[in-house]
Amino acid sequence: MKKTLLGTALLFALAQALPMDAQKQVRLTFNRAGGTAVSNVTVKVTDESGNAIDGVTATLQSIKQGTGTDADAAATDVALKSGEQLNKHPEILCASYSNGKNAFAEFTFKISGLSDFSLNHSDLQISAMNKDGKFQNSKDERYCDVRVWGNENKRTLIASVDGILADKLGGNYEVDNTIDWEIKTTTTTQATTDQYIVVRMAKNDRNTGCFFGLKQITLYNGYRFATTATSNIANVATFSASSPVTFSSNATAYIAINSDNTQVTLSPLNGALAANQGAIVSKATTGDIYAYVSAEATDSRNNQLVGGGDYAKDLTDGNYYIFNKQGEEAVFSPLSNTNTKLAANKAALKTTTVGGQALTLDFGSVTGINTATTAMSATNATFDLSGRKASGKLPAGLYIKNGKKLLIK
């Protein structure tokens, strides 16, 4: 079972995504090799298909215990737990740490040879264990607080999630209760040569009597891209990736499900953005937007925003409009004959319309109408919020005219 949590912590010049290496995932699995010391643990590094990654290795640097979730909490070296199911499952790392509230076990890993890897979310397989080394399966709920840092000195917090329910009820202490948690965040760390990952699992202040084991870590090569402020869409960019992606919770992504020579109908993304498709992404506040490689079902609607994913794309197979900024306004502009290259991680609108004027956008800010938004050319035509052309005497309501909102009372 997988749980997903959010952590606390086409050619806009400023809207540049960080590079995405061909390596989408780095997976760490463990073997205690019969002992309880750091030196007894081997770490295997593979990609998402389980294959070894050339030149990339990992080691367990330390196992520590302490109390609290603060990065500066005092921590001392400790051995691994053993006994019962832990002896039968050498792939689970469980530390012999204190049994009090907020006590933690902390594992520091060093990954060598990893480059161009922008870590912004991780997947942890967590097992709940009891004091004897059995899987925790009791009538009581056991909660785990998780911290993941992206460097050895714990100054870059990748994920911070409290209150993970880690055990499964049932009373069978031989049944593996490992739960897969995907933890997303709104920060990122860029690997160069060596990448340090620190994973802390603390007992929540609601419970004692449970130890937490670490079975697997999967690190995802994510994306971070800047936005551009405009007068009609605050903090906006286009985006495309070679893998299906979802976006940070403070952003809204739209796909184009219809266009002609007067309007583009935009609809909020439903699920993940499909690989090599495009989206218009915006957020209310300034700052970067984060995209996460995702296994979610992709939005299957006919999306007319296209991209080359992580690679530049030649726009020579049809008619395209480019999303850019004219003055202070975000618009779709007809593609110039001299500019047919779409930058990596950007999107363009493919349309049957040839040439013509720029299409202006209005995303509508009235509560309840954002399920369908329109971008239209500057004409005298009036449209309702479903994109239908309206004429004659208009009944009371909200309309779009000349790319602007029109309220009829």
Side-chain angles (χ1 to χ4, degrees):
M1 176 170 62
K2 175 176 281 192
K3 303 288 186 178
T4 301
L5 297 172
L6 287 177
T8 55
L10 206 122
L11 299 180
F12 278 173
L14 298 179
Q16 181 62 48
L18 290 182
M20 176 71 170
D21 190 68
Q23 192 59 54
K24 297 181 178 65
Q25 298 178 21
V26 171
R27 186 169 299 162
L28 308 182
T29 52
F30 322 115
N31 186 351
R32 291 198 308 278
T36 59
V38 171
S39 58
N40 294 112
V41 177
T42 58
V43 183
K44 183 180 181 181
V45 184
T46 60
D47 62 15
E48 59 271 23
S49 300
N51 300 316
I53 306 171
D54 285 345
V56 180
T57 60
T59 55
L60 176 61
Q61 299 287 290
S62 66
I63 313 167
K64 295 183 180 296
Q65 69 165 345
T67 302
T69 54
D70 186 80
D72 295 323
T76 58
D77 292 328
V78 66
L80 290 167
K81 284 182 69 66
S82 61
E84 295 290 344
Q85 293 301 313
L86 283 172
N87 291 348
K88 300 177 182 179
H89 292 270
E91 73 278 10
I92 298 176
L93 306 183
C94 187
S96 296
Y97 57 111
S98 167
N99 201 24
K101 288 184 178 180
N102 303 122
F104 66 72
E106 182 178 288
F107 301 91
T108 299
F109 300 90
K110 179 182 179 181
I111 307 174
S112 300
L114 187 63
S115 61
D116 295 327
F117 195 90
S118 180
L119 171 65
N120 69 358
H121 70 300
S122 60
D123 186 316
L124 305 181
Q125 291 189 359
I126 299 173
S127 304
M129 314 299 300
N130 69 12
K131 61 183 179 63
D132 298 319
K134 298 178 181 179
F135 290 114
Q136 182 73 53
N137 285 283
S138 72
K139 63 181 180 180
D140 299 318
E141 294 181 340
R142 311 292 186 180
Y143 295 92
C144 178
D145 298 340
V146 174
R147 300 291 183 271
V148 180
W149 289 277
N151 45 18
E152 192 176 22
N153 61 11
K154 292 176 285 192
R155 288 296 173 262
T156 303
L157 183 65
I158 297 298
S160 172
V161 180
D162 292 338
I164 289 177
L165 181 58
D167 68 331
K168 294 181 179 178
L169 307 181
N172 187 343
Y173 294 97
E174 294 186 357
V175 175
D176 188 342
N177 63 8
T178 302
I179 298 179
D180 195 6
W181 294 90
E182 184 179 10
I183 305 175
K184 299 178 179 179
T185 185
T186 54
T187 188
T188 189
T189 181
Q190 187 78 12
T192 53
T193 301
D194 294 328
Q195 173 81 65
Y196 285 90
I197 301 296
V198 181
V199 177
R200 179 183 294 180
M201 297 178 294
K203 299 176 182 181
N204 188 271
D205 59 10
R206 288 181 285 178
N207 64 268
T208 59
C210 184
F211 297 85
F212 302 110
L214 187 59
K215 190 173 182 179
Q216 180 176 288
I217 305 173
T218 303
L219 308 176
Y220 292 83
N221 196 353
Y223 301 82
R224 183 183 79 219
F225 56 99
T227 59
T228 298
T230 69
S231 61
N232 53 339
I233 310 173
N235 310 304
V236 63
T238 67
F239 188 77
S240 175
S242 294
S243 303
V245 293
T246 56
F247 298 91
S248 45
S249 60
N250 59 356
T252 302
Y254 299 87
I255 60 173
I257 59 173
N258 182 53
S259 68
D260 55 31
N261 61 354
T262 60
Q263 63 180 343
V264 179
T265 303
L266 301 175
S267 180
L269 185 67
N270 181 17
L273 179 67
N276 300 315
Q277 290 196 10
I280 295 175
V281 193
S282 67
K283 56 183 294 196
T285 57
T286 58
D288 295 344
I289 292 175
Y290 294 82
Y292 311 104
V293 176
S294 177
E296 288 185 27
T298 57
D299 194 321
S300 60
R301 289 175 294 172
N302 182 26
N303 180 17
Q304 292 176 268
L305 286 169
V306 300
D310 302 331
Y311 306 95
K313 179 180 175 63
D314 287 318
L315 302 181
T316 56
D317 60 342
N319 302 311
Y320 286 92
Y321 277 71
I322 298 297
F323 192 53
N324 59 12
K325 187 174 180 178
Q326 292 187 359
E328 293 301 315
E329 193 169 52
V331 300
F332 275 110
S333 300
L335 179 67
S336 166
N337 291 332
T338 60
N339 180 17
T340 60
K341 182 76 73 174
L342 180 67
N345 298 123
K346 298 296 169 222
L349 176 69
K350 189 174 184 178
T351 175
T352 58
T353 303
V354 179
Q357 58 188 329
L359 306 180
T360 62
L361 295 101
D362 190 324
F363 270 64
S365 58
V366 179
T367 301
I369 69 168
N370 289 323
T371 54
T373 56
T374 57
M376 16 184 105
S377 58
T379 70
N380 288 322
T382 302
F383 299 85
D384 65 20
L385 296 179
S386 297
R388 296 185 295 264
K389 190 172 182 179
S391 59
K393 185 177 181 179
L394 301 177
L398 188 63
Y399 299 87
I400 304 297
K401 184 174 182 179
N402 292 334
K404 304 296 181 182
K405 290 189 291 292
L406 172 66
L407 179 62
I408 302 295
K409 297 182 179 180

